[in-house]
Amino acid sequence: MNHWLSNPELVARVRDASLKGWEYALTNLEESVQVIHEKYAPEKSIDHLRFEARTLRRLILPDLVQLGHMNPARWQFIADSYRDLGMTSAEPALEGFLFEDRQPNNYWLAIKVGGISAVLLMIAGYVILKFRRLSQQLAQTNRKLSEIAIIDQLTHVHNRNGLQQLIPGMLSLANRDGMNCSFLMLDIDHFKSVNDRFGHQAGDVALQAFAEVLTRHRRKEDLVARVGGEEFVMLLVGAHIESATQIANQILESVRQLELLSPDGGRFGITASIGLVPAKGTLEGIWYAADTALYQAKHEGRDRVVRATGVGQAKR
């Protein structure tokens, strides 16, 4: 079971390479579909492979669950279930089953860290005893750190963690008050080409400008978040599908009018695609429906809004 112990460095490299491959494939579904069709499954149609790819992405949920995540408790539950059902008589011991990076112990480093920690503890104790009035300032600092944990530091909108913390409560309140909400998934078109042509600093400029457009078009009660790379989401509270469509088209027009300056002095513009759905049901279901609509907007030529009234019901 634990053969990986004989060569953990090789296993780590294989794992890292596999995860990079999956990340690229899930980020570039259309390219992956074309490669599989040309090299591995020419007997399957492009539409069939595209359906498989989108279904895999929905099941994997790479936007919500880290690729390669292993939960030991879940594996233990599976092993116990197999034994309870009489499908195996082996003891369900998981030691050595899951790969772990094992670095050699550095006791000198531990001693240094322990010494520094002891000094810091003494200093902290002295400060606490002598300056009790600092407690209020420390509380303010903690509030700022909590805010940093849910804010994307490049674009200054919420990050994925902030979205996951805030959106369930917002949806619950909206449902309780009988308000319509709409969910937008937005993606900068051909963002990789911006990085390739003008450099990653220009890509950061584009992300910041795009986030500013979204912030400009949000109402006080709305939520804007960057969920990864060039992908953003918006929750429009109290906005039915028609008014949300108007807001989405206004966002696209504002993005088209952007004139961005790269660090080398070059000027460039960007466009975006938007998938729009009513925010009803679970976050996972809403996310999947919006991602499907966004994929259709990309497939139809980008720089447009595609809205869906339900899963599998998308229209311009």
Side-chain angles (χ1 to χ4, degrees):
M1 180 182 294
N2 56 358
H3 296 304
W4 57 264
L5 290 173
S6 62
N7 198 339
E9 294 82 5
L10 176 61
V11 175
R13 290 198 299 270
V14 171
R15 177 202 60 191
D16 293 343
S18 299
L19 292 178
K20 286 181 179 179
W22 272 103
E23 181 180 7
Y24 185 87
L26 292 171
T27 305
N28 302 273
L29 287 184
E30 191 62 31
E31 180 182 346
S32 302
V33 165
Q34 295 294 337
V35 170
I36 293 173
H37 179 67
E38 293 173 5
K39 295 187 177 182
Y40 304 106
E43 72 281 0
K44 293 185 178 181
S45 69
I46 290 292
D47 287 338
H48 180 96
L49 293 173
R50 187 177 290 129
F51 173 79
E52 287 185 353
R54 291 167 58 189
T55 301
L56 274 175
R57 196 179 196 281
R58 176 174 61 84
L59 294 173
I60 294 172
L61 289 176
D63 296 317
L64 298 176
V65 181
Q66 181 182 4
L67 286 176
H69 172 70
M70 288 286 180
N71 186 333
R74 181 173 294 178
W75 282 105
Q76 186 67 59
F77 177 79
I78 294 172
D80 291 340
S81 297
Y82 271 51
R83 185 182 60 179
D84 294 343
L85 292 171
M87 299 175 68
T88 179
S89 58
E91 287 295 323
L94 294 182
E95 183 178 358
F97 179 70
L98 298 178
F99 172 69
E100 299 176 4
D101 284 321
R102 296 188 175 182
Q103 302 295 332
N105 293 325
N106 189 337
Y107 296 107
W108 174 241
L109 178 61
I111 293 172
K112 289 173 63 177
V113 171
I116 294 173
S117 299
V119 173
L120 291 176
L121 285 173
M122 288 188 291
I123 294 174
Y126 175 80
V127 170
I128 291 172
L129 290 174
K130 295 293 184 180
F131 304 101
R132 290 184 177 273
R133 293 181 180 177
L134 289 177
S135 59
Q136 185 176 0
Q137 297 180 12
L138 291 173
Q140 293 174 351
T141 300
N142 288 334
R143 285 195 294 271
K144 291 181 180 178
L145 291 174
S146 298
E147 180 179 337
I148 290 173
I150 62 173
I151 298 297
D152 179 66
Q153 297 304 295
L154 176 65
T155 61
H156 303 296
V157 299
H158 284 93
N159 57 20
R160 186 195 305 272
N161 186 39
L163 173 75
Q164 293 173 332
Q165 287 188 28
L166 297 175
I167 203 170
M170 295 174 69
L171 290 175
S172 178
L173 287 174
N175 290 333
R176 186 194 68 184
D177 296 336
M179 291 192 300
N180 291 311
C181 295
S182 296
F183 187 88
L184 284 69
M185 180 163 283
L186 313 97
D187 186 276
I188 299 176
D189 295 329
H190 301 297
F191 182 70
K192 184 176 183 298
S193 66
V194 174
N195 287 328
D196 293 341
R197 287 187 60 193
F198 302 103
H200 288 280
Q201 288 184 330
D204 289 346
V205 169
L207 289 169
Q208 290 169 333
F210 188 66
E212 288 174 1
V213 170
L214 301 185
T215 302
R216 234 177 21 241
H217 286 278
R218 70 177 288 272
R219 290 87 46 85
K220 182 179 180 180
E221 63 273 15
D222 295 337
L223 174 66
V224 178
R226 180 187 178 200
V227 294
E230 68 276 21
E231 285 192 344
F232 293 74
V233 300
M234 291 184 71
L235 178 67
L236 305 181
V237 179
H240 56 73
I241 197 75
E242 295 297 336
S243 60
T245 302
Q246 293 178 0
I247 295 173
N249 281 308
Q250 291 169 3
I251 290 172
L252 290 188
E253 183 59 30
S254 297
V255 172
R256 295 185 193 111
Q257 295 176 5
L258 289 174
E259 187 175 357
L260 305 177
L261 184 66
S262 67
D264 62 2
R267 295 184 180 276
F268 65 98
I270 58 174
T271 61
S273 300
I274 300 178
L276 168 62
V277 297
K280 296 179 180 179
T282 65
L283 175 58
E284 291 81 2
I286 296 169
W287 194 303
Y288 174 67
D291 188 54
T292 301
L294 174 63
Y295 180 84
Q296 183 172 335
K298 294 283 189 181
H299 183 68
E300 291 180 1
R302 297 179 169 83
D303 189 23
R304 66 194 63 211
V305 179
V306 168
R307 70 185 193 184
T309 56
V311 177
Q313 301 175 0
K315 62 180 181 178
R316 289 286 304 279

